Amino acid sequence: MIYTVTLSPALDYVLRLTYLTHEDVNRADKSEIFYGGKGINVSVILSRLGVKNRALGFAAGFTGQELERLLRQDGIETDFVRVAQGMTRINVKIFAQQQIDINAPGCDISPADINRLHEKLDALQAGDILVLAGSVPGSVPRDIYERILERLQHRQIRFVVDTTGESLQRVLKYRPFLIKPNHHELSELSGVEISAEDEAGIICQARKLQRAGARNVLVSRGKYGATLLDESGGVHTMGIVPGKPVNNVGCGDSMVAGFLAGYERRGDYQEALRLGSAAGNATAFCEGLAQREEIETILVNYFS
C-alpha cells in the first residue's frame, strides 16, 4: 500500500485569460477549482494508474471539506486529520501572457494535530511506501519529516521524500527509497551551480546524495528530461515530449507517481523512469493532472 502525506493541501483556483493588465478590471475567460498539494497530486496520478493508495495530511474548515469531497468524487481514498482552527488554503493560479501563482498560507496545526498524524502513520506495515511531499508549513516543526522517518525507520517501510533544502538534507541518513530534486534544488543542496544540460555535473552531485544515504535519486531537468541514478549503480536518462507545454503544476508529482507505479509493476528502474517520464510529460500538456489514457498514449508514442 502507498500512503501520501500533504502537510498543507490546497484548493487551486485557476483563472485563464488572454491578457492580464494592471490598468483595468480583468475578466477571466475560464475558471476552475482543482485539489492541490504535492502528495495529493501523487495520490491522484497513482489512482488513475490503478495503484491503490491513501492520501493523508491536514484539512480544516469548509475548504477542507470541499477538498475531501472532490477527492472522494474522483475515487481517491483519504484519511485527513481534521484541524479545528482556520481553513485549508486556496491558491490562485493565473494563466495569461505569463503564469502567476499566488499561494496562501496554510491553517494553524497544533501539536495535538501532529500527534494524530503520527498515530495514523503508526498503522503502516512492512513493505508499505510512504510519500512525504511538499514544503513544511510555518505552524509545523521544521524537522517533521525527520521525526516521521525516525519514528518509522525500523519498520521496513520505503520512504519517498520530495521536498527541498534542509528538510531533505535531514532525512538522507534514513536511506529514503527515492528523492526527486529538480536541477535547481540539486544546486541548492550541493552548493554548486548546475545547469539543466550539464548531465555530468548532475550525475556527480546526485551520487553525493546517494553516498549521504538516498537509495535512488531522480533529477528532473526541465526541457532536458530527467536523469535517474538507481541504487544498483545504473544511470538512466529520458527526454521530453516535443511541443509547447500548457501547464507546469503537478508535473514533478506526476513523475513521482508514475515512477512508483512503474516500479510496482515490474520492480525495474528503467520501466519506472519510463512511466514516470510519461506521466510528468502528460500532465505538462493538460490543464490539470493527466488522465490514464493521456499517460499511456505518451508512454507508447514517446517512451516505448
Side-chain angles (χ1 to χ4, degrees):
M1 179 74 164
I2 299 178
Y3 296 82
T4 68
V5 172
T6 308
L7 297 175
S8 188
L11 293 176
D12 287 344
Y13 185 40
V14 178
L15 300 171
R16 298 182 184 274
L17 58 162
T18 304
Y19 188 82
L20 182 67
T21 177
H22 301 285
E23 299 174 355
D24 200 355
V25 173
N26 291 279
R27 300 189 186 280
D29 300 314
K30 185 178 182 181
S31 66
E32 299 168 284
I33 293 180
F34 299 101
Y35 32 68
K38 292 180 69 63
I40 286 174
N41 292 339
V42 173
S43 274
V44 170
I45 294 295
L46 284 171
S47 294
R48 291 178 180 177
L49 290 173
V51 179
K52 185 173 177 59
N53 72 94
R54 184 177 300 155
L56 286 76
F58 300 104
F62 75 96
T63 49
Q65 293 173 353
E66 178 64 6
L67 172 72
E68 291 185 274
R69 187 192 70 80
L70 289 172
L71 287 166
R72 287 195 300 268
Q73 178 178 283
D74 281 359
I76 312 302
E77 185 177 337
T78 66
D79 188 16
F80 288 106
V81 173
R82 293 294 306 178
V83 176
Q85 300 297 320
M87 67 179 191
T88 294
R89 62 195 176 123
I90 300 175
N91 297 333
V92 178
K93 314 289 184 181
I94 301 173
F95 290 83
Q97 68 269 33
Q98 63 183 25
Q99 181 175 333
I100 299 173
D101 296 340
I102 305 172
N103 288 353
C107 57
D108 290 331
I109 299 166
S110 71
D113 296 326
I114 294 171
N115 287 337
R116 289 164 62 201
L117 176 63
H118 280 306
E119 290 169 1
K120 293 179 184 293
L121 294 175
D122 285 343
L124 271 63
Q125 304 293 320
D128 287 339
I129 295 175
L130 175 61
V131 181
L132 304 173
S135 59
V136 177
S139 60
V140 172
R142 302 305 299 170
D143 64 347
I144 187 170
Y145 286 163
E146 182 182 12
R147 294 185 189 187
I148 290 172
L149 268 63
E150 180 182 24
R151 186 176 178 125
L152 301 176
Q153 63 178 314
H154 301 302
R155 301 274 298 278
Q156 296 181 304
I157 296 165
R158 287 173 288 172
F159 303 119
V160 177
V161 185
D162 186 8
T163 190
T164 60
E166 184 181 0
S167 293
L168 180 56
Q169 288 278 17
R170 296 174 74 113
V171 303
L172 294 177
K173 60 188 175 185
Y174 298 106
R175 294 192 50 76
F177 173 71
L178 177 70
I179 62 173
K180 195 214 71 63
N182 60 37
H183 66 280
H184 297 296
E185 293 160 349
L186 187 63
S187 295
E188 178 187 355
L189 287 165
S190 65
V192 177
E193 187 63 33
I194 309 167
S195 61
E197 65 266 32
D198 182 9
E199 185 169 14
I202 285 171
I203 292 171
C204 177
Q205 297 306 323
R207 286 208 189 282
K208 291 181 181 179
L209 296 178
Q210 285 187 311
R211 289 195 289 270
R215 290 169 56 185
N216 300 287
V217 181
L218 175 57
V219 183
S220 53
R221 302 168 53 198
K223 67 179 181 179
Y224 295 94
T227 296
L228 169 70
L229 276 68
D230 72 43
E231 61 185 324
S232 63
V235 177
H236 318 267
T237 293
M238 292 280 176
I240 63 167
V241 175
K244 184 178 180 180
V246 299
N247 173 36
N248 65 7
V249 177
C251 299
D253 309 324
S254 299
M255 178 176 284
V256 169
F259 180 94
L260 293 175
Y263 189 78
E264 287 288 281
R265 287 179 183 177
R266 298 186 184 177
D268 179 83
Y269 288 119
Q270 181 74 8
E271 173 66 17
L273 182 59
R274 285 179 62 243
L275 188 52
S277 297
N281 276 269
T283 289
F285 289 96
C286 297
E287 292 188 353
L289 297 172
Q291 298 291 336
R292 180 172 187 158
E293 296 77 11
E294 294 160 330
I295 295 170
E296 291 181 344
T297 296
I298 284 181
L299 179 66
V300 170
N301 290 337
Y302 294 97
F303 296 108
S304 59

